[in-house]
Amino acid sequence: MKFTRYSKFNGLDVFGINLGDLMDALSDSLLDSGYDDDYYWTRQRMPQDTSLDALRRALLQALMDQELLSQRQIQQMLDENEGKYEGSQLQEMLNQLIERLVEEGYLNLREEPVPPEQRREMMGNGEGRIEEPLPRNIKFEVTEKGLDFLGYKTLRNLLGSLGKSSMGRHDTSHLATGIEAEAASKPYEFGDTINLDVNTTLMSAMQRAVREETEHAGGVRTQVFPLNLEYKDLHVHQCDYQSSCATVVMLDCSHSMILYGEDRFTPAKRVALALAHLIRTQYPGDSLKVVLFHDSAEELPMAKLATTQVGPYHTNTAEGLRLARRILQAQRKDMKQIVMVTDGKPTACFIDDAVGAPASMQAGRRHSAGFNWQPSEKSNQRRLYKNSMGGDPWVMEATFREVQACRKSGIMINTFMLASDYYLVEFVKQMTAMTNGKAYFANPNNLSQFVLIDFLRRRKSRVR
């Protein structure tokens, strides 16, 4: 007879939890872009909380979202410890999950030095006292493996959602019939890769031998002859030439990316992670760099992408294009492209002191609304000119000058816009026409699909 035994709830089976699904549920917290309700009013960027307490709160929310833990179970574990979190089974369970994530290489833990104020408090005034030890300042960070996994999850979810109509080498549950088509062979020429087509080579040698024997015997074949290969009989297989590609992803991190009631920057970061995983696994000869542009521009290591947040910046598209062009010019690749993700018109540019101030500034509008003229932090010879209204002739001129420089360098610019006002559309049309690129007007929900499918299509293009 079968018996069912009921026992006291002892928490989750920590070692039975799928860490991949858990990382996927944590992705929103790990890729935090600084989006909150107060940003619209304060314009102040709050630093990301990377403490262990913040990680425990995110883990607890992820477990509840996955329905692995309920409010009743949480309350039960706390009640067993007199309602206290410290020393409860809940705390122990969350700590074990963190240990698993660290052991599997998804997260790293590091101890920050004690701040000077806290150090002075620890030293006291020289008198002996008994007190609780100060807590250690432990921070967490996502490892390269963790970032690559988040990119893989984004890529898998995207390509899986496309279903049967997607193109590529990804396995599906659908069946199909057909044959593998290959290009015809060609006669071997000096310098060709010796990928010999044996059948065509032997057939050519046999046809030549029969033709020569027939001509020698007056049209009548008289005997079996040896088969001798000659240089002109050699044929080699032809295949599509696959070129290498250098890509720079330009991410706009100006304040508008989280300003108007939605987070547009986190989807942009997911795009960069998915492209990085795709290139690493499918196109190892390619390269991918990430450039952030705001008041200025800088190259961003992939390892720091997860903790990058939007700041109270303007949009210096010209400086971003300038840096991306320099990075691509240093790459020895057949194809070079810029994938720019932004949601607004250029509103800032650098102007050399030798050029002089804009006419509007000279006319006494230095402190008028919408204009700002201040030294650059990067160079004493350049000043940052900003016009929050957009469409400023100086800013647009500087931007299109960099677009023309990209065109001369053979760099294609593909722009993915997260807004669609009239002046923005006109700007994008001019920019893409100059570099024979493409423009897509997307939203944060379908941005990944637009970018990755466009990348796959362009990557499959053949260079003869």
Side-chain angles (χ1 to χ4, degrees):
M1 183 176 178
K2 185 177 180 180
F3 293 91
T4 302
R5 177 175 297 178
Y6 295 92
S7 60
K8 190 176 181 181
F9 176 72
N10 293 318
L12 293 177
D13 179 13
V14 174
F15 296 95
I17 295 177
N18 188 315
L19 292 185
D21 294 339
L22 187 60
M23 283 290 294
D24 193 20
L26 287 171
S27 61
D28 289 338
S29 299
L30 299 178
L31 299 178
D32 176 58
S33 298
Y35 176 75
D36 56 53
D37 295 335
D38 296 333
Y39 185 83
Y40 182 85
W41 304 101
T42 64
R43 299 294 198 274
Q44 296 295 323
R45 182 178 62 177
M46 300 300 295
Q48 184 178 6
D49 189 359
T50 58
S51 64
L52 282 184
D53 287 338
L55 180 58
R56 293 187 186 102
R57 289 193 296 269
L59 280 171
L60 186 60
Q61 185 62 47
L63 293 173
M64 294 175 63
D65 292 341
Q66 292 182 315
E67 298 182 353
L68 297 176
L69 202 61
S70 65
Q71 286 284 0
R72 184 183 62 82
Q73 292 171 333
I74 294 174
Q75 189 60 45
Q76 183 177 348
M77 286 187 284
L78 293 176
D79 291 342
E80 292 176 358
N81 194 41
E82 300 179 351
K84 299 178 181 179
Y85 170 76
E86 293 292 335
S88 66
Q89 190 177 2
L90 179 62
Q91 183 187 35
E92 181 182 355
M93 180 188 66
L94 294 176
N95 288 340
Q96 289 177 352
L97 278 177
I98 294 175
E99 290 178 4
R100 282 198 63 198
L101 290 171
V102 172
E103 290 174 356
E104 293 295 328
Y106 291 111
L107 300 177
N108 270 340
L109 299 181
R110 69 181 190 279
E111 184 171 5
E112 296 286 338
V114 179
E117 300 81 10
Q118 212 170 20
R119 188 186 302 274
R120 287 193 295 268
E121 183 181 349
M122 293 171 59
M123 295 177 62
N125 55 7
E127 298 180 358
R129 54 183 177 180
I130 299 176
E131 60 181 15
E132 294 292 330
L134 291 174
R136 299 171 63 187
N137 189 17
I138 306 296
K139 302 292 185 180
F140 76 91
E141 61 183 2
V142 187
T143 64
E144 292 186 3
K145 176 181 177 180
L147 289 175
D148 187 63
F149 180 80
L150 294 178
Y152 158 73
K153 294 290 288 187
T154 300
L155 186 64
R156 191 188 69 172
N157 294 339
L158 169 67
L159 296 177
S161 65
L162 295 179
K164 186 177 180 180
S165 62
S166 62
M167 56 184 177
R169 296 181 295 171
H170 305 278
D171 296 332
T172 69
S173 58
H174 306 283
L175 301 177
T177 60
I179 60 173
E180 182 179 0
E182 295 183 356
S185 302
K186 65 178 287 288
Y188 172 79
E189 297 178 3
F190 179 76
D192 288 341
T193 301
I194 306 180
N195 185 16
L196 196 64
D197 186 346
V198 178
N199 294 337
T200 305
T201 298
L202 291 178
M203 184 63 67
S204 176
M206 293 173 61
Q207 290 175 348
R208 178 186 51 78
V210 169
R211 184 171 57 254
E212 292 176 355
E213 179 67 19
T214 302
E215 292 174 357
H216 178 73
V220 179
R221 177 180 171 184
T222 58
Q223 60 181 359
V224 178
F225 51 85
L227 186 63
N228 297 320
L229 289 177
E230 296 185 1
Y231 183 87
K232 58 184 178 182
D233 296 326
L234 299 178
H235 283 69
V236 291
H237 288 290
Q238 291 189 100
C239 62
D240 292 325
Y241 175 75
Q242 296 182 340
S243 61
S244 58
C245 180
T247 301
V248 169
V249 178
M250 283 178 53
L251 299 181
D252 180 359
C253 67
S254 62
H255 66 283
S256 61
M257 292 290 281
I258 59 173
L259 184 60
Y260 301 110
E262 63 179 351
D263 183 3
R264 301 171 177 176
F265 192 59
T266 299
K269 291 199 290 187
R270 292 183 188 276
V271 164
L273 291 174
L275 282 176
H277 179 83
L278 179 66
I279 288 175
R280 187 184 65 81
T281 56
Q282 300 296 325
Y283 309 105
D286 288 7
S287 65
L288 176 71
K289 304 292 183 181
V290 177
V291 167
L292 289 181
F293 66 103
H294 36 85
D295 286 353
S296 182
E298 71 267 4
E299 183 178 353
L300 181 71
M302 191 63 66
K304 295 184 178 181
L305 181 60
T307 56
T308 301
Q309 293 185 333
V310 170
Y313 304 122
H314 288 69
T315 307
N316 193 343
T317 308
E319 186 67 11
L321 291 172
R322 179 171 176 264
L323 177 58
R325 174 170 54 85
R326 290 187 173 184
I327 293 174
L328 290 173
Q329 286 176 335
Q331 300 288 326
R332 296 182 178 180
K333 305 295 182 182
D334 298 326
M335 297 188 298
K336 300 176 182 180
Q337 67 170 346
I338 294 174
V339 176
M340 182 169 65
V341 181
T342 182
D343 72 335
K345 301 178 293 297
T347 58
C349 68
F350 284 117
I351 299 179
D352 294 335
D353 283 348
V355 176
S360 59
M361 305 290 289
Q362 297 174 357
R365 300 173 62 186
R366 177 168 186 148
H367 300 291
S368 61
F371 291 90
N372 191 354
W373 178 261
Q374 63 184 34
S376 164
E377 298 179 357
K378 298 179 63 177
S379 172
N380 293 328
Q381 298 179 353
R382 295 198 303 165
R383 292 180 181 271
L384 182 63
Y385 174 65
K386 300 187 290 186
N387 185 349
S388 301
M389 299 301 294
D392 184 274
W394 279 73
V395 175
M396 302 305 291
E397 180 185 355
T399 304
F400 284 123
R401 187 163 56 245
E402 289 300 329
V403 173
Q404 291 175 349
C406 290
R407 180 188 61 184
K408 292 179 181 179
S409 301
I411 298 172
M412 181 181 298
I413 302 176
N414 297 317
T415 310
F416 297 85
M417 308 303 297
L418 300 177
S420 58
D421 63 273
Y422 172 77
Y423 294 102
L424 180 61
V425 172
E426 291 301 315
F427 160 69
V428 172
K429 284 183 178 179
Q430 295 180 46
M431 183 172 61
T432 53
M434 292 172 66
T435 62
N436 293 324
K438 287 188 176 182
Y440 299 88
F441 293 88
N443 59 63
N445 296 325
N446 61 12
L447 175 63
S448 299
Q449 180 174 341
F450 273 112
V451 175
L452 293 176
I453 293 305
D454 177 79
F455 177 83
L456 288 172
R457 286 174 179 169
R458 293 189 179 277
R459 192 58 186 80
K460 287 178 180 294
S461 63
R462 270 65 173 179
V463 180
R464 300 295 181 183

